[in-house]
Amino acid sequence: MDFVMSTNNLVVEEMMCCAACGAAEADHIKLKKCNACYLVKYCSVKCQKEHRPKHKRECKKRAAELRDEILFKQPESTHLGDCPICCLRLPLGQEKSTMMPCCSKFICNGCEYEYANSIYELEGCLQRKCPFCRHPVPNSEEETKRNIMKRVEANDPVAMRQMGTMRRSEGDYDGAFEYWSKAAGLGDVGAHYQLSGLYRFELGVEKDKKKEVYHLEKAAIGGDPFARHNLGCLEAG
């Protein structure tokens, strides 16, 4: 028991001072944790670089453990989230929900086609509007693209992912890669999954298994069950 307590105290003391020079945190010294393992702190970049050879092995081991903890943690929901109208989880499958080009919100088919306002608009022969933002529903593919581009210009990652999907369907893999990369950089889970496919099948980019796994892991952590399935297949060989 005494040994455990003394070990814990040692760890606490190490966290309260620079792992390289031993400087304690004070008003004029601010310690920063190692961004990879969070086990140690440093008072400067110089100290971090000097201590790197001693810390490298332990850092990599702990970083891998943290990565596995995040990766294998069961997410509370899927990457699709909830329908903003009924607040129920969006079902898996593209055919079961609709992305509104005006606001980039995914609406479940129940709310899209059976929502009270939608029925009222159909019965009264009125112009259909988005159930979420009430913007008029586009009447043509060109108008749909213009609405999506407006969202892209507003740095909407969902719109960027959708535009990338449209580029891929046209055979423009370079354009798809550009849009999906931007969306993934903004944290879009679906874009990470799509990028993994490009690296797997060598579409517009060189085949790269490491990058494929990286994007699959990002998507799996974000709650994409298909990405988690693909990771399992890769693990099984």
Side-chain angles (χ1 to χ4, degrees):
M1 187 65 175
D2 292 339
F3 173 75
V4 174
M5 290 179 65
S6 62
T7 303
N8 289 339
N9 290 336
L10 180 60
V11 172
V12 172
E13 288 178 3
E14 289 179 350
M15 288 293 290
M16 293 176 64
C17 62
C18 176
C21 67
E25 188 166 33
D27 292 339
H28 63 288
I29 299 177
K30 299 296 181 183
L31 301 180
K32 292 185 179 180
K33 288 182 179 180
C34 173
N35 291 330
C37 67
Y38 302 101
L39 289 176
V40 295
K41 291 183 178 182
Y42 299 101
C43 64
S44 65
V45 176
K46 180 184 177 181
C47 279
Q48 186 172 7
K49 288 182 178 179
E50 290 178 351
H51 191 249
R52 181 63 180 168
K54 297 180 180 179
H55 178 59
K56 186 176 181 180
R57 181 178 295 181
E58 182 185 19
C59 182
K60 282 190 173 182
K61 180 182 177 182
R62 182 53 184 159
E65 291 173 352
L66 290 173
R67 183 73 175 176
D68 286 345
E69 286 177 12
I70 298 172
L71 183 59
F72 294 108
K73 183 180 179 181
Q74 184 66 28
E76 295 181 1
S77 182
T78 70
H79 62 299
L80 298 176
D82 301 335
C83 171
I85 303 299
C86 64
C87 297
L88 296 177
R89 287 185 181 179
L90 286 168
L92 297 175
Q94 295 180 350
E95 73 285 353
K96 296 179 181 179
S97 60
T98 304
M99 193 207 85
M100 309 308 295
C102 46
C103 56
S104 299
K105 296 295 184 183
F106 277 88
I107 311 293
C108 70
N109 286 350
C111 292
E112 166 65 2
Y113 299 110
E114 298 180 16
Y115 184 57
N117 281 342
S118 298
I119 297 174
Y120 173 76
E121 290 163 357
L122 290 172
E123 291 178 348
C125 297
L126 303 174
Q127 183 177 19
R128 290 193 60 204
K129 295 182 179 180
C130 170
F132 182 77
C133 71
R134 306 306 295 153
H135 188 280
V137 174
N139 296 317
S140 65
E141 185 176 347
E142 288 300 318
E143 189 178 354
T144 298
K145 287 183 178 181
R146 284 198 299 270
N147 286 346
I148 294 176
M149 279 307 301
K150 287 181 180 178
R151 297 302 308 162
V152 170
E153 292 167 1
N155 281 334
D156 187 325
V158 176
M160 291 178 184
R161 188 217 316 160
Q162 186 68 13
M163 188 58 69
T165 301
M166 295 170 72
R167 289 287 184 268
R168 181 192 61 183
S169 65
E170 297 168 357
D172 181 8
Y173 295 110
D174 291 336
F177 176 79
E178 182 180 354
Y179 280 113
W180 285 339
S181 294
K182 289 180 179 178
L186 292 171
D188 187 79
V189 174
H192 279 293
Y193 179 74
Q194 297 294 350
L195 284 170
S196 73
L198 294 184
Y199 285 111
R200 178 177 178 81
F201 298 108
E202 205 171 350
L203 299 173
V205 294
E206 293 184 4
K207 189 179 182 66
D208 192 321
K209 188 173 182 180
K210 285 186 177 180
K211 289 183 178 180
E212 177 193 355
V213 171
Y214 168 79
H215 287 293
L216 284 176
E217 287 184 349
K218 282 287 188 179
I221 290 170
D224 190 324
F226 303 110
R228 196 169 292 275
H229 169 267
N230 287 0
L231 281 174
C233 291
L234 288 174
E235 191 73 22

